[in-house]
Amino acid sequence: MKKIGRSKGFALTALVAAMSCASVAQAGITDKDILADQMTTEDVVSNGLGPRAQRYSPLDKLNAETVKELRPVWSFSFGGEKQRGQESQPMVKDGVMYVTGSYSRVFAIDAKTGEELWEYNARLPDGIMPCCDVINRGVALYGDLVIFGTLDAKLVALNKDTGKVVWKKTVADYKEGYSLTAAPLVVKGKIITGVSGGEFGVVGKVEAYDAKTGDIVWTRPTVEGHMGYIWKDGKKVENGISGGKPGETWPGDLWKTGGAATWLGGTYDPEVDLMFFGTGNPAPWNSHLRPGDNLFSSSRLAIDPDTGKIVWHFQTTPHDGWDFDGVNELISFDYKDGGKTVKAAATADRNGFFYVLNRENGDFIRGFPFVDKITWAEGLDDKGRPIFKEGGRPGNPADAKEGNKGEPVVSAPSFLGGKNWMPMAFSQDTGLFYVPSNEWAMDIWNEPVSYKKGAAYLGAGFTIRPMNDDYIGVLRAIDPKSGKEVWRYENYAPLWGGVLATKGNLVFTGNPEGYLMAFDAKSGEMLYKFQTGSGIVGSPITWEMDGEQYVSVVSGWGGAVPLWGGEVAKRVKHLNQGGSVWTFKLPK
């Protein structure tokens, strides 16, 4: 942990000043604060601006008429050579911003001036194995703690005023391929986390820890056949096998290394008292080695926050053979149908389909493509199950006439998805979802593979390529009731950052070219853009301080695209890395 680099006295003075301008004796963050986050505009205390993660703000001082006057007021550099991808969403409380940087770092910043208050650097071992860059997507706030996950699979709780470690817990063994990259979720005083590492044959899981002490409360594996546990009076008690039985939808013992990592974290809907977590690809990628649906991979799971039990599941890609995952966020929303309120939830999947589900029971309501081209499926049946297209799956290496490479296929979307991790937003004013998406295809083939602890477990090769000369990224406004695309903005490079919607009829997002952009939420007209100096792959926020509306976004190009992007990576190879937070407001 590092304090600002002047005198100790200056650091304390700056910290006290920041606290006093927010009226010092503020109580710590409570569950009530988190549940009310969407409508309490003076702070941002949850990932997604509320546990439902709609990423919508009721602020409207900054609007379609005034946004052209938006100006930067400060920029804060993460410093050093630890740049790489910056996928964090900042938090703001009592005049202090808390934000993570690459390589498992946390910064506390005076939200008024942009001055550093403290910095924490995790001491990472040499053997970490992050799949998709050394990113971190943000902190959780609870009580007087700032809590985040590290690339060596630890949860760390820091004191919000000093940055000193209060507690630290190991969630999984990084030597097996596990890591933590998601912002933790806070529900009923518990820190809920998923795990990354699906490319290494890990077993995905969701776990709950006591936010104040770090003591584990329950663990729920996300591969069928593994036992869940709950801790009662300090004792570990069996809490039922995920799916009821070992290996019903898996052949042999492959469920023991089945993947289904929960690497994006989850959302929570207090109305139905359920958490929604997505699960990643089954392991290995070579689907011919594991016939069956391979539960609970490439699925959305509704989990009881008190017990960790799976209440319902919906699998978007059964027997996934394309690495489509199912981790993308499931966002709760309501809509009217014949005068009746439907308690729905929506997700835009990597596989190219947009799904609307009943969030109470997981029933399929409707689904439709949200990308221009899907080659692996003909469509969805009346239960939402994909209708696989003949010849759409990469071939079995066992059938190869020469060598050990199965018949390759061209697949759209690519495994990086119609939409990947980057969160969409839902506007309560327009009723539209604003979806950051990409149009790209891949050549993919299967190869033989065997499991080795801590080694990549794919059994597949691939090359990703653009489908259009003039764009890959598409920001789409989608009506979840009709499936209609209301408007779109096409971007030359892939879109890899999150979206924010506001009552001011604005939609904010960033692009790899470095621009923070604002669009008219109804028409899609670009109203504003500002060059931040590096690609934006983080998620913007907005809040109010001293009667003024602020917008902040993290800038720093990286993530999975330059690492895994094949021909696409060539299109963005000239983009510079970075690591900074930009904050904007209207002039007085």
Side-chain angles (χ1 to χ4, degrees):
M1 189 275 293
K2 184 190 82 170
K3 288 288 182 80
I4 53 177
R6 302 190 197 179
S7 70
K8 184 177 180 183
F10 181 86
L12 288 172
T13 302
L15 182 59
V16 170
M19 291 173 65
S20 60
C21 84
S23 75
V24 180
Q26 294 282 349
I29 302 291
T30 66
D31 293 284
K32 185 177 179 181
D33 294 331
I34 293 168
L35 293 177
D37 192 27
Q38 189 171 55
M39 303 310 292
T40 51
T41 56
E42 70 278 5
D43 55 32
V44 177
V45 297
S46 62
N47 186 49
L49 281 74
R52 293 185 177 93
Q54 291 184 347
R55 297 186 181 272
Y56 168 85
S57 171
L59 287 170
D60 61 1
K61 290 180 181 177
L62 186 61
N63 53 54
E65 285 70 43
T66 61
V67 70
K68 62 182 180 292
E69 299 296 334
L70 189 64
R71 299 175 191 183
V73 290
W74 56 260
S75 176
F76 172 85
S77 173
F78 295 154
E81 298 177 0
K82 294 181 177 181
Q83 295 183 330
R84 303 284 292 267
Q86 311 293 347
E87 294 185 0
S88 180
Q89 179 214 288
M91 302 281 206
V92 178
K93 178 63 175 173
D94 296 341
V96 179
M97 178 180 289
Y98 304 94
V99 63
T100 58
S102 55
Y103 292 97
S104 305
R105 294 173 292 164
V106 184
F107 301 85
I109 306 166
D110 185 319
K112 195 79 171 176
T113 66
E115 190 160 13
E116 180 178 301
L117 302 176
W118 55 257
E119 175 185 346
Y120 174 82
N121 277 270
R123 294 181 180 178
L124 298 173
D126 293 334
I128 58 170
M129 292 179 281
C131 140
C132 307
D133 206 0
V134 288
I135 59 93
N136 187 283
R137 298 190 177 95
V139 303
L141 301 180
Y142 195 75
D144 60 355
L145 300 178
V146 179
I147 304 160
F148 82 115
T150 67
L151 289 169
D152 59 345
K154 291 182 172 65
L155 274 179
V156 181
L158 309 172
N159 179 278
K160 70 178 179 64
D161 297 325
T162 66
K164 291 184 177 179
V165 175
V166 176
W167 57 257
K168 184 186 297 185
K169 298 291 179 179
T170 298
V171 173
D173 185 355
Y174 73 89
K175 294 177 183 177
E176 294 182 13
Y178 285 100
S179 59
L180 300 183
T181 55
L185 178 67
V186 180
V187 180
K188 300 181 182 180
K190 294 184 282 289
I191 297 295
I192 317 292
T193 186
V195 292
S196 304
E199 272 58 61
F200 297 96
V202 304
V203 174
K205 59 181 179 177
V206 178
E207 290 190 333
Y209 293 81
D210 184 294
K212 294 180 180 178
T213 65
D215 294 337
I216 191 165
V217 178
W218 54 255
T219 181
R220 172 52 53 193
T222 54
V223 176
E224 175 187 79
H226 294 267
M227 179 65 72
Y229 294 92
I230 192 167
W231 276 255
K232 295 181 178 179
D233 300 322
K235 294 181 179 179
K236 184 179 180 181
V237 179
E238 289 187 354
N239 195 31
I241 294 174
S242 298
K245 296 180 183 178
E248 279 208 316
T249 60
W250 293 81
D253 287 340
L254 278 178
W255 59 276
K256 295 180 179 179
T257 52
T262 48
W263 55 265
L264 191 52
T267 61
Y268 172 66
D269 183 65
E271 199 172 347
V272 296
D273 194 23
L274 291 173
M275 303 184 305
F276 304 120
F277 271 75
T279 62
N281 57 281
W285 286 19
N286 181 350
S287 61
H288 298 282
L289 295 175
R290 44 171 176 77
D293 281 357
N294 311 138
L295 292 173
F296 291 98
S297 68
S298 301
S299 300
R300 305 304 189 281
L301 307 181
I303 298 176
D304 184 325
D306 298 318
T307 66
K309 290 198 172 182
I310 297 172
V311 176
W312 57 256
H313 78 277
F314 182 87
Q315 191 171 41
T316 47
T317 312
H319 195 214
D320 187 352
W322 304 267
D323 185 40
F324 283 146
D325 277 32
V327 296
N328 291 359
E329 71 282 5
L330 186 66
I331 298 178
S332 298
F333 74 109
D334 294 339
Y335 69 91
K336 296 287 186 181
D337 183 11
K340 181 182 178 183
T341 298
V342 179
K343 296 184 189 304
T347 189
D349 201 86
R350 276 190 21 195
N351 68 19
F353 289 101
F354 191 100
Y355 299 82
V356 180
L357 308 178
N358 181 315
R359 68 178 183 264
E360 296 177 292
N361 55 27
D363 286 351
F364 176 71
I365 297 175
R366 70 182 63 88
F368 45 84
F370 69 94
V371 295
D372 294 337
K373 188 174 183 180
I374 295 176
T375 63
W376 65 278
E378 302 279 0
L380 304 175
D381 66 18
D382 60 0
K383 299 291 186 183
R385 189 179 178 90
I387 304 166
F388 293 113
K389 185 175 286 188
E390 188 175 350
R393 183 181 297 272
N396 189 346
D399 298 335
K401 295 178 182 177
E402 296 181 10
N404 60 0
K405 180 177 169 181
E407 187 71 24
V409 298
V410 176
S411 174
S414 77
F415 78 85
L416 288 177
K419 185 180 97 64
N420 200 281
W421 84 274
M422 53 281 193
M424 62 186 182
F426 173 74
S427 170
Q428 296 182 5
D429 305 310
T430 65
L432 302 177
F433 280 90
Y434 299 95
V435 184
S437 63
N438 291 298
E439 296 289 340
W440 42 22
M442 65 178 172
D443 300 295
I444 182 170
W445 58 90
N446 285 326
E447 302 165 347
V449 68
S450 57
Y451 174 76
K452 181 180 178 182
K453 182 179 178 179
Y457 189 40
L458 300 186
F462 48 83
T463 301
I464 299 178
R465 46 192 168 92
M467 292 195 294
N468 304 285
D469 292 335
D470 51 350
Y471 70 93
I472 297 175
V474 184
L475 177 64
R476 292 173 155 97
I478 292 177
D479 185 338
K481 295 189 288 185
S482 67
K484 178 184 176 184
E485 181 186 279
V486 177
W487 58 258
R488 67 194 282 168
Y489 164 77
E490 295 172 354
N491 195 76
Y492 179 70
L495 293 179
W496 209 252
V499 182
L500 168 71
T502 77
K503 192 172 182 61
N505 191 37
L506 294 174
V507 173
F508 287 92
T509 195
N511 65 10
E513 290 89 337
Y515 286 99
L516 173 68
M517 303 175 291
F519 300 85
D520 184 297
K522 294 175 183 174
S523 70
E525 178 188 358
M526 186 187 291
L527 302 173
Y528 174 86
K529 69 176 185 177
F530 178 87
Q531 176 58 249
T532 65
S534 183
I536 294 175
V537 294
S539 298
I541 62 167
T542 189
W543 82 97
E544 199 168 30
M545 184 166 57
D546 298 334
E548 297 184 282
Q549 185 178 350
Y550 287 75
V551 173
S552 287
V553 70
V554 176
S555 170
W557 171 237
V561 175
L563 296 175
W564 295 76
E567 294 298 313
V568 169
K570 295 178 182 179
R571 185 176 286 198
V572 296
K573 66 181 180 180
H574 64 286
L575 299 177
N576 293 321
Q577 291 184 332
S580 58
V581 188
W582 286 84
T583 293
F584 306 79
K585 73 177 182 68
L586 294 173
K588 284 188 176 180

